[in-house]
Amino acid sequence: MKGKGGIILTGGLIGLAAIILVKLGNPINMGYCIACFLRDTAGALGLHRAAVVQYIRPEIIGLVLGAFIMSIGTKEFKARGGSSPLLRFVLGFVVMVGALMFLGCPLRMVLRMAGGDLNSLIGLAGFAAGIGVGIVFLNKGFSLKRTYTMSLAEGLVFPAVNVGLIALLLAAPAFIFFSQEGPGSKFAPWGIALAAGLAVGALAQKTRLCMVGGIRDLVLFKDSYLISGFIAIFVVALLGNLFITKSFNFSFADQPIAHADGLWNFLGMALAGWGCVLLGGCPLRQLILAGEGNVDSVITVIGMMAGAAFSHNFSLAASAKGPTVNGQIAVVAGLVLLLIISILSIEKATIKLKGDVKLEA
């Protein structure tokens, strides 16, 4: 799995897995969507009551456990954390608000592109713009500070929680919610979904696959290693949509679980891209790092789930009908919040307030 060939193979296998999952029951263009699947899982746990998006997604569980198993096998598992946990929670929350305005994470954005959804190209432009703004602050010295070694127990908690989620999925107790209609009611058989998640988690851990990192590295270092994985996802998923699911629809209109409001597709993904750069990785990468024992990424994932719950409880999330007014306000507020966090987290920056009073950021 070394070199660019390994990440291209990984991307190709992820694209194929996404097509197979759709063929077996997942919503169209949603073989994988980290934002959507975290939202569905949050709903199943009762964190929000949007009845159409409630299901414990085995793919998420598989991603975490696949990364955990691979990192144990390669001796890369390491419990660590303590890098601005509250800021990471807030950033995860904000990234989810942006993703649910667009109706998809960076991975689903690529899958939507492969399905012919032209709205995803506008999302890609916004995503790249947000990453560009984040890079400006990285170059100015933005930092969430260093991480510290933590106890083994800290690193094992999140994988253990995901094992517990499997039990809840299979036992289906009365306090767990399952959608009877809508996207949450559409899913591949749990065993196949879990196996696909395990495989993708292991491969993504090994290759460090990350959409945000791909664009960031291409801009900063002219390094195409990470982005080549997502190109492979696109190519394989495109072929799958053309010849396997036969769901390719080259248009802005009538796209599954999507809306055609270009401005808010752009701004939603700009918010997600900017936030992900500050976090150091896309939602997929955060799950993989969480599986490796990174407690900071666990906090980020919890922030994302909180953001998903809040978005549906307070009508921030968009729908096929378009964005809500609450969602538009939240995206603008999120952009302002990211600007404040970005400025105040520049290392060694000194901001003059009044007279001799200074704020060390």
Side-chain angles (χ1 to χ4, degrees), residues 28-29 109-122 234 237-238 241-242 245-256 258 260:
I28 297 175
N29 293 346
M109 177 180 69
V110 174
L111 295 175
R112 284 174 58 177
M113 289 168 56
D117 185 350
L118 296 179
N119 301 294
S120 62
L121 296 177
I122 297 175
F234 169 78
L238 173 62
N241 283 320
L242 288 170
T245 66
K246 297 182 180 179
S247 58
F248 184 82
N249 176 23
F250 190 70
S251 72
F252 285 100
D254 301 320
Q255 295 293 343

Side-chain angles (χ1 to χ4, degrees), residues 21 24-27 30 33-48 50-61 165-166 168-170 172 176-194 305:
L21 290 171
L24 294 177
N26 276 16
M30 201 184 290
C33 176
I34 308 306
C36 304
F37 289 178
L38 287 174
R39 172 205 60 200
D40 291 356
T41 302
L45 297 175
L47 301 181
H48 70 71
V52 295
V53 283
Q54 295 174 318
Y55 179 64
I56 295 176
R57 291 286 179 178
E59 295 90 344
I60 293 293
I61 299 169
L165 288 175
I166 296 176
L168 290 174
L169 173 63
L170 298 182
I176 297 296
F177 299 87
F178 293 96
S179 296
Q180 300 302 310
E181 60 182 3
S185 67
K186 298 178 180 180
F187 48 84
W190 75 268
I192 295 175
L194 178 63
M305 294 188 73

Side-chain angles (χ1 to χ4, degrees), residues 4-81:
K4 190 175 290 187
I7 198 167
I8 290 174
L9 176 61
T10 296
L13 291 174
I14 292 173
L16 179 60
I19 292 299
I20 292 172
L21 290 171
V22 168
K23 188 70 175 177
L24 294 177
N26 276 16
I28 297 175
N29 293 346
M30 201 184 290
Y32 284 101
C33 176
I34 308 306
C36 304
F37 289 178
L38 287 174
R39 172 205 60 200
D40 291 356
T41 302
L45 297 175
L47 301 181
H48 70 71
R49 298 305 171 95
V52 295
V53 283
Q54 295 174 318
Y55 179 64
I56 295 176
R57 291 286 179 178
E59 295 90 344
I60 293 293
I61 299 169
L63 288 170
V64 174
L65 296 182
F68 171 70
I69 293 168
M70 178 62 79
S71 64
I72 291 291
T74 57
K75 298 182 179 180
E76 293 179 299
F77 182 86
K78 182 180 179 182
R80 59 201 187 278

Side-chain angles (χ1 to χ4, degrees), residues 15-329:
L16 179 60
I19 292 299
I20 292 172
L21 290 171
V22 168
K23 188 70 175 177
L24 294 177
N26 276 16
I28 297 175
N29 293 346
M30 201 184 290
Y32 284 101
C33 176
I34 308 306
C36 304
F37 289 178
L38 287 174
R39 172 205 60 200
D40 291 356
T41 302
L45 297 175
L47 301 181
H48 70 71
R49 298 305 171 95
V52 295
V53 283
Q54 295 174 318
Y55 179 64
I56 295 176
R57 291 286 179 178
E59 295 90 344
I60 293 293
I61 299 169
L63 288 170
V64 174
L65 296 182
F68 171 70
I69 293 168
M70 178 62 79
S71 64
I72 291 291
T74 57
K75 298 182 179 180
E76 293 179 299
F77 182 86
K78 182 180 179 182
R80 59 201 187 278
S83 169
S84 304
L86 187 54
L87 280 182
R88 289 182 184 275
F89 176 90
V90 171
L91 289 171
F93 188 106
V94 169
V95 165
M96 184 61 80
V97 169
L100 292 181
M101 171 58 76
F102 171 72
L103 293 176
C105 68
L107 179 52
R108 185 174 187 239
M109 177 180 69
V110 174
L111 295 175
R112 284 174 58 177
M113 289 168 56
D117 185 350
L118 296 179
N119 301 294
S120 62
L121 296 177
I122 297 175
L124 176 61
F127 189 61
I131 291 173
V133 174
I135 288 173
V136 169
F137 285 101
L138 290 181
N139 287 332
K140 288 181 177 295
F142 174 88
S143 174
L144 291 177
K145 311 302 181 183
R146 59 165 293 185
T147 62
Y148 301 87
T149 299
M150 307 186 83
S151 70
L152 178 61
E154 290 271 6
L156 293 177
V157 169
F158 194 59
V161 166
N162 279 271
V163 172
L165 288 175
I166 296 176
L168 290 174
L169 173 63
L170 298 182
F175 58 83
I176 297 296
F177 299 87
F178 293 96
S179 296
Q180 300 302 310
E181 60 182 3
S185 67
K186 298 178 180 180
F187 48 84
W190 75 268
I192 295 175
L194 178 63
L198 286 167
V200 171
L203 291 170
Q205 193 281 330
K206 191 65 177 177
T207 59
R208 308 294 190 266
L209 184 71
C210 178
M211 182 65 170
V212 169
I215 295 177
R216 179 201 62 206
D217 290 357
L218 190 64
V219 173
L220 283 177
F221 312 115
K222 312 303 180 187
D223 184 348
S224 62
Y225 170 74
L226 289 175
I227 199 68
S228 62
F230 277 85
I231 293 173
I233 294 173
F234 169 78
V235 171
V236 173
L238 173 62
L239 294 173
N241 283 320
L242 288 170
F243 301 110
I244 298 177
T245 66
K246 297 182 180 179
S247 58
F248 184 82
N249 176 23
F250 190 70
S251 72
F252 285 100
D254 301 320
Q255 295 293 343
I257 315 175
H259 63 81
D261 190 316
L263 174 63
W264 294 102
N265 278 325
F266 181 94
L267 291 177
M269 286 310 286
L271 181 62
W274 187 355
C276 285
V277 168
L278 302 185
L279 285 165
C282 65
L284 171 64
R285 183 65 180 150
Q286 296 300 325
L287 281 175
I288 300 305
L289 288 171
E292 293 178 4
N294 191 319
V295 179
D296 292 329
S297 290
V298 174
I299 297 298
T300 300
V301 172
I302 294 173
M304 290 178 183
M305 294 188 73
F310 195 93
S311 292
H312 280 282
N313 285 333
F314 295 95
S315 300
L316 309 185
S319 69
K321 296 179 181 179
T324 65
V325 173
N326 287 1
Q328 293 170 346
I329 294 171

